Amino acid sequence: MRSQQYNEANDKATEMNTLTACVNKVVKDGYIDSFKVTSRGLYSCSTDKYFAPGQVKIVNFYRFEGESDPADMSILYVIESASGEKGTLVDAYGPYADENVSKFMREIEEVNKKEVHSDSAQKEEQKPDIK
């Protein structure tokens, strides 16, 4: 009985350890589109639309490392577009990463930082003057 409980707990702990398992999980959560970075922006394979960095949000990301081969390192981005497309983008991670994908993801981060900074500044301006 004790070993069965241990195996069940171990299965739960390792559930998201592979790229395939993680993709399957996010697809079940509605992230069914497949994205890729092109010279025109982030491309939605299912809707044939392109998005600029300011039109997408990285909802989450997962990094995976191969047990014996550094070339097995990858990253899965879970993405939502401003118009409602929800999907994933997979890239190599580390030295094998696609420079275009890395650049696009940095641009998204910069847009998000500016939005957070702008929102904070607006909230600061709206505070009542307490004396």
Side-chain angles (χ1 to χ4, degrees), residues 9-124:
N10 192 32
D11 287 344
K12 289 177 185 175
T14 60
E15 185 176 307
M16 298 285 280
N17 282 347
T18 67
L19 178 60
T20 303
C22 198
V23 168
N24 289 340
K25 165 75 170 88
V26 299
V27 165
K28 285 181 184 177
D29 291 342
Y31 293 87
I32 58 172
D33 202 345
S34 182
F35 293 106
K36 64 182 181 178
V37 174
T38 71
S39 60
R40 292 181 57 191
L42 186 70
Y43 176 73
S44 164
C45 296
S46 66
T47 63
D48 197 32
K49 294 181 184 176
Y50 292 87
F51 302 97
Q55 297 175 302
V56 296
K57 179 173 82 171
I58 301 169
V59 176
N60 209 341
F61 65 92
Y62 304 90
R63 290 185 191 140
F64 302 92
E65 295 183 22
E67 291 183 26
S68 61
D69 185 357
D72 289 342
M73 295 181 3
S74 60
I75 186 164
L76 170 70
Y77 295 99
V78 182
I79 299 172
E80 287 185 25
S81 74
S83 57
E85 288 82 354
K86 294 167 64 173
T88 59
L89 170 68
V90 178
D91 189 24
Y93 186 74
Y96 300 104
D98 182 323
E99 286 183 37
N100 295 323
V101 172
S102 300
K103 180 180 179 229
F104 191 84
M105 292 301 142
R106 280 192 304 273
E107 290 173 4
I108 293 172
E109 290 173 6
E110 288 301 315
V111 168
N112 289 335
K113 285 178 189 175
K114 288 177 185 175
E115 287 176 359
V116 168
H117 180 69
S118 176
D119 288 347
S120 297
Q122 286 177 351
K123 288 178 184 176
E124 195 66 35

